[in-house]
Amino acid sequence: MLPARLLAKFVTINGLLPLGLPESPIISNLVCLDMDRELQAMADERDLRYTRYADDITFSGYANLPSKEDIRHLLTGQGFRLSDRKFRISKRGQAHFVTGLSVSERDYPHVPREMKRKLRQELYFCERFGLDVHAIEQGETSQKTFNRLYGLVNYVSYVERRQADRLHQKWGRIVRRELGEAAYATVQGREYRDIHLIVDESEFKIGEQKYLAICVVRLSELDRKQRVVRKLLLDYVTTLGAKGEIDALKDVGVHFTEVHYDLRTKTLDLMLEMLWSASVHFAKYESGEDYEFTWLKLFKEAMHQELVTADGIGLEVLVEENDKVSSSALKSIVDAQYQHMELAGSRRPRVKPDVKRVGKSDTPILTLPDFVLAAFRHNVLQVADERVLDFERIRDKVRYIHDHDLDAFYTRKKPFVEVGSA
């Protein structure tokens, strides 16, 4: 029938109905409508409660439960098959679980105690030792541990609303310390892990128009992450048959323009496993005389946002050495913004941040903003090789991109496509 074919096309992708689409439960409920009516009638006859979630069916009550064969006969008549492996009967005094939730207590469903105990334990370890360390102990990447715990916190909070405030507060502290992506009211008397801002710049041209871009990478556990990058370089240069300018790598570290494709891939893989976030700011500039003004304009804009989101946190700013930009001007910008926030009583770091100039050879973590900017530059220029895809790999790590000339912000919900695409 034409209506059926049209409906099938409307709710499928390439002829398939992928799991997780919003159409799935709607269609399954339509398919099961007659079965639900018959099972509900069976429950009503016995003064029972009938519930179904997807393919999980439950009868609950004080007595007169239907037999296994009665249920099997009804399901078979509707074109379904009873799973003998999943079928079970629980009695008063035993643990009762429906779709993975405990319904043994009368007030409301509960998440199994073991799940809650493990979640509390994992959040404790993350607060005490850091999420990266906990991820290593779990044999996972930091991103996988972050996503898994984020899902668990929301799941438990949704099922057990009494737990929600406590869990979200604890998880919020962890997120704030690790990423600093959200600003929360300062919790008095509690120390948070310090955050470092790593700043680098890059230039590119579209036609004859010059552009300047700066990247600010935000991360915690600076020393540990620097050791990880150093180890990546050491492992690579000591590998038999390693490709690229090995002597140059030893001098300047892992930086995009000096590395072979093999090391670039390894570095991007490592960046995906680490916890960090970044922002990119870019604007046109006309000449060498305009360079410092544009650089400082972008830096000032970036620092305002970073200082606000570092409310109550210790903050240090590390800026790559650049003889075209005055160190005193960088410090003046940060000092002035902090003083203004302090006088206004607004959100700000715990103390006035230090601003330091650092070099590539002695600060391995500059690899992160360097790679972000290189990937962004190649994406903008649509280079005709595999480098154009590098930015897609790390896009989720970039909180936002700001086109200063258009005052246009690009985020995950509004992805950056090209310069001037606001």
Side-chain angles (χ1 to χ4, degrees):
M1 295 176 59
L2 180 60
R5 288 198 296 271
L6 292 176
L7 178 61
K9 289 184 177 181
F10 182 73
V11 300
T12 59
I13 298 176
N14 296 327
L16 300 173
L17 180 64
L19 291 174
L21 289 187
E23 293 91 344
S24 298
I26 297 173
I27 293 174
S28 67
N29 286 340
L30 290 172
V31 170
C32 295
L33 185 59
D34 289 340
M35 180 193 72
D36 284 337
R37 287 171 176 163
E38 291 196 31
L39 289 172
Q40 184 63 59
M42 177 184 286
D44 291 341
E45 290 175 1
R46 294 167 169 78
D47 195 23
L48 303 173
R49 176 172 293 180
Y50 162 69
T51 55
R52 179 181 63 81
Y53 178 78
D55 61 347
D56 288 329
I57 293 170
T58 304
F59 288 99
S60 53
Y62 292 100
N64 198 25
L65 293 173
S67 69
K68 182 177 181 179
E69 291 308 314
D70 287 340
I71 298 174
R72 188 195 306 277
H73 178 74
L74 191 152
L75 294 179
T76 301
Q78 291 292 332
F80 296 95
R81 184 175 69 251
L82 178 68
S83 172
D84 291 309
R85 180 177 59 84
K86 292 183 178 181
F87 184 88
R88 68 185 185 89
I89 298 175
S90 59
K91 300 179 181 179
R92 184 189 294 273
Q94 296 177 323
H96 305 306
F97 290 93
V98 176
T99 63
L101 298 178
S102 170
V103 293
S104 300
E105 300 178 45
R106 294 188 177 185
D107 50 359
Y108 58 87
H110 292 262
V111 175
R113 291 181 182 177
E114 180 59 25
M115 180 184 290
K116 289 186 289 188
R117 184 197 66 79
K118 189 173 187 305
L119 177 58
R120 287 195 300 267
Q121 185 182 60
E122 291 201 68
L123 294 181
Y124 168 78
F125 287 145
C126 287
E127 278 205 290
R128 181 168 182 182
F129 303 110
L131 196 144
D132 285 346
V133 174
H134 180 60
I136 292 172
E137 292 296 322
Q138 295 293 306
E140 301 175 333
T141 65
S142 297
Q143 192 65 54
K144 182 176 181 179
T145 299
F146 181 93
N147 292 340
R148 179 173 57 79
L149 292 178
Y150 176 67
L152 273 174
V153 166
N154 284 319
Y155 174 69
V156 175
S157 298
Y158 179 78
V159 175
E160 299 194 27
R161 302 300 173 89
R162 298 175 188 175
Q163 305 271 357
D165 287 345
R166 180 182 59 81
L167 282 175
H168 282 301
Q169 286 175 12
K170 185 179 289 288
W171 179 243
R173 292 196 296 268
I174 293 170
V175 171
R176 178 180 178 178
R177 186 181 65 184
E178 298 289 343
L179 298 180
E181 292 191 16
Y184 301 91
T186 302
V187 180
Q188 299 297 325
R190 182 176 294 278
E191 294 294 324
Y192 294 104
R193 185 182 308 175
D194 289 348
I195 295 292
H196 287 84
L197 304 178
I198 319 299
V199 185
D200 201 356
E201 80 285 325
S202 179
E203 301 171 57
F204 59 91
K205 289 178 67 175
I206 300 179
E208 295 302 314
Q209 179 61 60
K210 297 178 181 178
Y211 286 86
L212 177 65
I214 70 169
C215 174
V216 181
V217 165
R218 187 185 189 102
L219 50 80
S220 62
E221 293 188 313
L222 174 67
D223 291 341
R224 191 192 70 79
K225 289 184 171 69
Q226 296 219 104
R227 289 195 298 270
V228 171
V229 177
R230 282 195 184 99
K231 185 177 185 302
L232 171 71
L233 176 59
L234 180 62
D235 288 347
Y236 184 80
V237 299
T238 56
T239 299
L240 185 64
K243 300 175 182 178
E245 297 294 331
I246 303 302
D247 290 337
L249 289 175
K250 292 177 181 178
D251 290 337
V252 301
V254 184
H255 294 282
F256 199 95
T257 55
E258 287 87 15
V259 302
H260 186 269
Y261 174 80
D262 292 350
L263 182 54
R264 188 172 79 232
T265 301
K266 291 178 182 293
T267 303
L268 288 168
D269 289 342
L270 177 67
M271 290 171 64
L272 289 174
E273 295 179 1
M274 297 170 66
L275 273 178
W276 56 276
S277 61
S279 60
V280 176
H281 311 255
F282 68 92
K284 300 174 183 176
Y285 80 100
E286 301 301 330
S287 64
E289 296 178 356
D290 191 37
Y291 180 93
E292 183 179 34
F293 174 79
T294 305
W295 204 109
L296 294 174
K297 174 178 65 177
L298 297 175
F299 180 75
K300 180 179 179 180
E301 165 199 288
M303 286 304 102
H304 175 76
Q305 180 66 22
E306 298 295 345
L307 265 62
V308 168
T309 56
D311 182 33
I313 299 174
L315 192 67
E316 185 175 54
V317 185
L318 306 181
V319 183
E320 188 204 1
E321 293 173 344
N322 184 339
D323 56 11
K324 298 179 183 178
V325 179
S326 165
S327 296
S328 60
L330 299 176
K331 188 176 186 304
S332 295
I333 287 174
V334 174
D335 288 353
Q337 293 205 357
Y338 183 84
Q339 183 178 23
H340 176 76
M341 293 173 175
E342 190 175 35
L343 291 173
S346 60
R347 294 177 295 186
R348 62 190 184 279
R350 187 169 60 243
V351 296
K352 185 169 64 176
D354 287 332
V355 181
K356 297 180 179 179
R357 302 303 290 265
V358 292
K360 283 183 166 65
S361 60
D362 57 4
T363 311
I365 204 64
L366 280 169
T367 293
L368 270 64
D370 175 81
F371 265 62
V372 172
L373 286 168
F376 174 70
R377 184 173 65 247
H378 294 148
N379 180 270
V380 168
L381 300 177
Q382 290 293 296
V383 294
D385 56 42
E386 74 284 347
R387 292 174 300 169
V388 75
L389 300 176
D390 289 338
F391 189 68
E392 294 302 322
R393 297 192 65 195
I394 59 174
R395 185 183 287 265
D396 285 346
K397 297 285 191 178
V398 180
R399 295 171 4 236
Y400 66 92
I401 299 169
H402 186 198
D403 182 338
H404 191 277
D405 300 316
L406 299 179
D407 196 25
F409 287 85
Y410 305 92
T411 63
R412 292 184 184 94
K413 293 184 178 180
K414 182 187 176 183
F416 175 83
V417 178
E418 60 182 351
V419 174
S421 62

